[in-house]
Amino acid sequence: MLRQRTIKNVVRTAGVGLHSGLRVELVMRPAAPDTGIVFHRVDLPEVVDLPAQADQVGDTRLASVLQQGNVRVSTVEHIMSALAGLGIDNIHIDLTAEEVPIMDGSAGTFVYLLRSAGIEEQKAPKKFLRVLKTVEVREGEGRNEKWARLEPYNGFSMSFSIDFHHPAIDATAGFAEIDFATHSYTREIARARTFGFVNDVEALRAVGLARGGSLDNAIVMDEYRVLNNDGLRYDDEFVKHKILDAIGDLYLIGKPLMARYVACKSGHALNNRISRALLEQQDAWEIVTFEEEPAESAPVFQRAWKLA
C-alpha cells in the first residue's frame, strides 16, 4: 500500500520574509492522517489556522498567499514544493509572522529540515487526485499570451517554457521537462532559486514587496548579467525554479496529482486559476489510492513513490 506520510519529530528554523523583510520563526510538527497541510499563525492573540488549499489563496502577486479575512500566510510555494517533492501529506506549520522565511530562495533548506525531522509512513492510504480530462487556462494575447494545462497522465510530469527577453536568462535553457517517475526532485529541482532584477527592486519595495531580498536568497540580475558571485546552480536554473514554484502551487490542490502539467510563462496566478478550474470541474478528476503493494509490473511512478 502507498501510505500517507508525515514527519517523525518537531523541527524548527528562523529566517526573514522575502517580501516583508521581517524575522519569522517556523516550526513543523507531525500531523495525523488526513489532516493535510495546515499553517498556523501563532503570533496572534488567538491562533489562526490556514489550511493549504487552492481556494484559500487570496493574493498571487509574486507569491502564493493564503488568506482568511485580514490574516495572511505569504510565500508558501517553496515549502509546499518541498512537501510535495518528499511526499508529505500531513503536517502542522507554525509561524510567528505572516510570511514563510525565504531561506536561500529555493526549496533546498526545507528538504533538509524535513529529512532531518524524519519521514514517517502512516496507517492510511495515500490519496492521489487523478486528472481524467484536460483542463486549460489562458491569459493575454500574441507574444504576451500565457497558459497552463493539466492533462491525464499515469504519473506526474511537468513541461515549462519561459521567455523573459533578458540576456542572462536567454543564455540558459528556456524549456525543461521533468517526469518524477525517472527524475529526482531533490537533485534536479529543489535547489533552484527565485530570481529578480535590480531595476525592479525600488518599485517592488515601494509597494511593500522584496524588502528581504538579497544576493543570499535570490539570483539577482542587472540589465545584462547575473550578479551573484557563485553564478547558477543549474544550467537551466531559471526555468527549473518556475517548475519548483508550480509544484508548490499545484500542491495547494490538496492531494498529489496524477497528471501532466504543461505551461508557457505561467506564474502563481495562472497556477492558482488552473487549480481552481480543475477542482470546479468535478467530472475532470477522481480520488484514487493504491492499496496493493506496487509490483514490478506496476507503473514506474508507483514504484518511485514506494521508494522515495
Side-chain angles (χ1 to χ4, degrees):
M1 178 171 70
L2 297 183
R3 301 176 184 271
Q4 294 181 34
R5 293 173 178 172
T6 188
I7 55 174
K8 291 181 180 179
N9 302 295
V10 174
V11 65
R12 63 189 70 230
T13 190
V16 299
L18 173 64
H19 295 300
S20 67
L22 298 176
R23 185 180 187 276
V24 55
E25 296 175 8
L26 178 148
V27 177
M28 293 186 279
R29 300 181 282 116
D34 295 316
T35 298
I37 297 163
V38 186
F39 292 86
H40 307 277
R41 284 288 303 277
V42 300
D43 56 314
L44 303 174
E46 293 186 4
V47 174
V48 176
D49 306 330
L50 293 96
Q53 297 175 358
D55 64 1
Q56 298 293 304
V57 174
D59 191 353
T60 53
R61 293 179 303 159
L62 300 181
S64 289
V65 182
L66 300 173
Q67 192 161 352
Q68 286 191 16
N70 294 325
V71 180
R72 296 160 51 98
V73 171
S74 178
T75 319
V76 301
E77 58 271 12
H78 297 172
I79 196 169
M80 290 297 298
S81 186
L83 292 166
L86 294 180
I88 306 295
D89 303 275
N90 308 299
I91 195 168
H92 295 290
I93 303 172
D94 300 335
L95 293 166
T96 61
E98 75 164 40
E99 189 172 12
V100 176
I102 190 60
M103 311 314 288
D104 72 343
S106 76
T109 302
F110 298 120
V111 167
Y112 170 79
L113 289 167
L114 290 163
R115 285 181 161 174
S116 297
I119 297 172
E120 182 173 80
E121 290 196 341
Q122 300 176 288
K123 295 180 179 179
K126 182 182 285 287
K127 298 174 182 177
F128 295 82
L129 190 149
R130 176 159 58 191
V131 172
L132 302 175
K133 296 181 179 180
T134 297
V135 177
E136 182 176 283
V137 293
R138 289 180 177 267
E139 177 183 299
E141 297 180 355
R143 292 193 66 179
N144 295 322
E145 186 177 38
K146 307 174 183 179
W147 54 270
R149 182 167 65 239
L150 287 167
E151 304 171 346
Y153 187 72
N154 193 23
F156 184 44
S157 73
M158 310 189 80
S159 294
F160 207 109
S161 300
I162 58 173
D163 185 11
F164 280 90
H165 303 291
H166 185 281
I169 299 177
D170 292 347
T172 70
F175 172 81
E177 186 163 14
I178 298 289
D179 189 320
F180 290 99
T182 54
H183 294 85
S184 166
Y185 171 84
T186 56
R187 288 196 303 270
E188 300 185 46
I189 299 295
R191 296 182 66 248
R193 293 162 294 175
T194 192
F195 55 92
F197 307 95
V198 169
N199 292 346
D200 295 338
V201 169
E202 188 173 330
L204 289 171
R205 288 181 174 170
V207 295
L209 299 172
R211 292 177 176 174
S214 73
L215 292 169
D216 294 327
N217 55 38
I219 303 168
V220 181
M221 289 164 283
D222 62 15
E223 294 180 358
Y224 307 102
R225 61 192 177 94
V226 170
L227 300 180
N228 304 64
N229 289 332
D230 56 350
L232 300 179
R233 294 176 175 176
Y234 306 105
D235 292 340
D236 51 358
E237 188 168 1
F238 299 106
V239 68
K240 280 189 172 175
H241 185 78
K242 300 297 285 186
I243 289 176
L244 183 155
D245 277 349
I247 292 168
D249 289 340
L250 292 174
Y251 206 36
L252 292 167
I253 283 173
K255 303 283 189 300
L257 283 172
M258 289 180 61
R260 182 170 184 254
Y261 166 89
V262 188
C264 178
K265 298 187 284 188
S266 185
H268 302 301
L270 272 184
N271 292 337
N272 185 247
R273 276 185 58 199
I274 194 146
S275 299
R276 291 179 184 240
L278 175 67
L279 293 172
E280 288 168 4
Q281 192 173 327
Q282 295 188 13
D283 65 343
W285 54 271
E286 64 179 354
I287 302 297
V288 297
T289 61
F290 298 94
E291 303 207 21
E292 298 296 326
E293 289 293 320
E296 284 302 313
S297 59
V300 174
F301 96 97
Q302 290 185 46
R303 303 200 303 273
W305 270 106
K306 180 67 179 175
L307 297 172

